[in-house]
Amino acid sequence: MIHFYQTQDNMIQELKEPVTGCWVCVIDPTAQEVQRLIENFKLDSGFVRSSLDEEESSRIEREDEQTLIIVDTAMSEIQTEETILFFTVPLGIIITKDYLFTISLRDNQILRDMRDGTVKGVQTRMKTRFVMQLLLRITAIYLQDLKQIDKTSYIMEQKLSSAMKNKELIQMLELEKSLVYFSTSLKANEVTIEKLLRGRTIKLYDEDQELLEDVLIEVRQAIEMSHIYSGIISSMVEAFGSVISNNLNIVMWRLTVVTIIMSIPTMIFSFYGMNTANLPVPDTWFPTVIAVVITIVTAYIMLKQKK
């Protein structure tokens, strides 16, 4: 899909056709749309294909009068009712003389916020400022998802004492994997932003430079948070394994007690069921009394020694 947007009366408005100074938002384009971008807008084919590559890492590249900025954006996906997967997807930003393009394989919260006016003061004609605001929003979503990961891990921690199934452990492992993705992507974004800050790729005005410095501070904060949360979750995963193992031992102990107690009447009645002579009082209630008494005494002793 290809959509065109322009700031009109301080509001983002969608256009039917592109005009100079507009924002071209490209999401999961078809082969025909990719060809249209290359032919009609004279975009570098390598830039377009790199933006649509899920494995592409964050970087900056300049070719003729076009600048490509690829940054990783945070996304989340609900796999099951209680399992959330966080991951990253590259977003390509191509700056040309007349237009600014964002190219992504998936629609995401960042692009929706830019379109819906959640990000204030967006001016599509000011391409450098637009990129800075986009980067700031990308970093804000990272911080938002990191807080969600922390909240989810806290909920899992509350279930730790009674954990007997694998779903809690699987969720924690998914969160740990997500933090690895976030940490790797944020470090790559940090390098890209530092290159932008030098002002060699795109021209930075004073206000743009201050905004980019704020973005860099937020990225470094997100990196630090991801490291802290990763350490916490790693410790919790180890604790999960210990708790599940301990709970299993308790269950096995209870089953062992029940098995021993239930085997006592069976053993006594087995003796009296054999053709064996000289057993005491074989034809009365004596075997039943003996079985009940021994069972009660054994159960009392074993339960008493529980600790």
Side-chain angles (χ1 to χ4, degrees):
M1 297 182 293
I2 302 178
H3 297 279
F4 309 101
Y5 299 92
Q6 187 181 42
T7 304
Q8 298 176 355
D9 298 327
N10 294 323
M11 296 287 292
I12 295 291
Q13 303 291 338
E14 186 171 0
L15 307 176
K16 293 183 179 181
E17 295 295 332
V19 297
T20 300
C22 75
W23 164 34
V24 183
C25 182
V26 183
I27 300 171
D28 191 20
T30 62
Q32 292 77 11
E33 289 174 333
V34 170
Q35 195 64 28
R36 178 187 173 190
L37 291 172
I38 296 172
E39 293 179 357
N40 295 5
F41 296 97
K42 308 301 180 185
L43 292 184
D44 186 281
S45 59
F47 286 1
V48 176
R49 292 185 174 89
S50 295
S51 301
L52 296 173
D53 185 359
E54 287 188 347
E55 304 300 324
E56 195 70 36
S57 59
S58 180
R59 62 187 176 88
I60 302 176
E61 189 174 340
R62 185 172 178 83
E63 187 71 30
D64 297 331
E65 294 184 353
Q66 299 180 20
T67 301
L68 170 67
I69 304 172
I70 295 181
V71 289
D72 290 324
T73 59
M75 296 190 68
S76 60
E77 186 176 271
I78 299 177
Q79 292 187 318
T80 63
E81 185 177 349
E82 296 185 357
T83 305
I84 304 176
L85 176 63
F86 296 88
F87 56 98
T88 60
V89 174
L91 172 68
I93 305 170
I94 301 177
I95 304 172
T96 66
K97 182 180 179 181
D98 297 324
Y99 308 102
L100 185 142
F101 298 82
T102 58
I103 304 176
S104 177
L105 279 173
R106 301 191 185 200
D107 196 10
N108 54 51
Q109 186 64 42
I110 297 102
L111 298 177
R112 288 193 294 269
D113 289 346
M114 299 295 286
R115 295 194 303 259
D116 299 341
T118 303
V119 180
K120 304 299 182 183
V122 174
Q123 296 291 332
T124 56
R125 294 184 182 85
M126 303 171 65
K127 293 189 285 290
T128 302
R129 173 62 62 85
F130 186 93
V131 172
M132 301 302 109
Q133 291 173 318
L134 188 61
L135 293 175
L136 187 61
R137 191 58 188 169
I138 288 171
T139 307
I141 295 298
Y142 268 111
L143 292 171
Q144 177 181 309
D145 284 351
L146 284 169
K147 291 177 182 178
Q148 181 63 37
I149 289 175
D150 183 48
K151 181 180 178 181
T152 304
S153 66
Y154 177 77
I155 294 173
M156 293 297 104
E157 185 179 3
Q158 302 306 306
K159 300 179 180 180
L160 182 63
S161 60
S162 59
M164 283 299 297
K165 297 181 180 179
N166 290 330
K167 62 181 181 181
E168 290 87 1
L169 186 59
I170 291 173
Q171 174 67 86
M172 296 301 291
L173 291 173
E174 290 291 350
L175 293 179
E176 189 175 18
K177 183 171 67 173
S178 300
L179 286 171
V180 173
Y181 291 152
F182 276 20
S183 180
T184 303
S185 298
L186 283 166
K187 287 179 180 178
N189 287 354
E190 180 186 21
V191 174
T192 301
I193 293 171
E194 286 176 344
K195 290 180 180 178
L196 284 173
L197 196 56
R198 297 190 187 107
R200 298 176 183 175
T201 308
I202 57 177
K203 183 179 180 181
L204 295 177
Y205 300 95
D206 291 339
E207 293 181 358
D208 297 331
Q209 187 164 357
E210 291 178 2
L211 186 58
L212 192 56
E213 288 174 352
D214 292 340
V215 174
L216 187 59
I217 292 172
E218 294 289 325
V219 168
R220 289 172 176 169
Q221 180 184 353
I223 292 173
E224 185 66 23
M225 288 175 63
S226 65
H227 287 164
I228 294 173
Y229 293 159
S230 182
I232 292 173
I233 290 180
S234 295
S235 301
M236 288 180 61
V237 168
E238 294 179 4
F240 256 105
S242 300
V243 168
I244 291 175
S245 177
N246 185 56
N247 288 343
L248 180 61
N249 291 337
I250 293 173
V251 172
M252 294 303 296
W253 178 86
R254 290 173 179 170
L255 291 175
T256 302
V257 170
V258 172
T259 302
I260 292 174
I261 292 173
M262 295 300 295
S263 66
I264 292 173
T266 303
M267 183 174 58
I268 293 175
F269 292 138
S270 296
F271 278 119
Y272 279 89
M274 295 185 295
N275 295 325
T276 305
N278 301 322
L279 288 175
V281 199
D283 298 325
T284 62
W285 44 263
F286 183 75
T288 303
V289 173
I290 289 296
V292 172
V293 170
I294 295 177
T295 299
I296 293 175
V297 171
T298 303
Y300 175 78
I301 292 173
M302 295 194 73
L303 294 176
K304 190 72 175 177
Q305 298 298 322
K306 179 180 179 181
K307 295 183 180 181

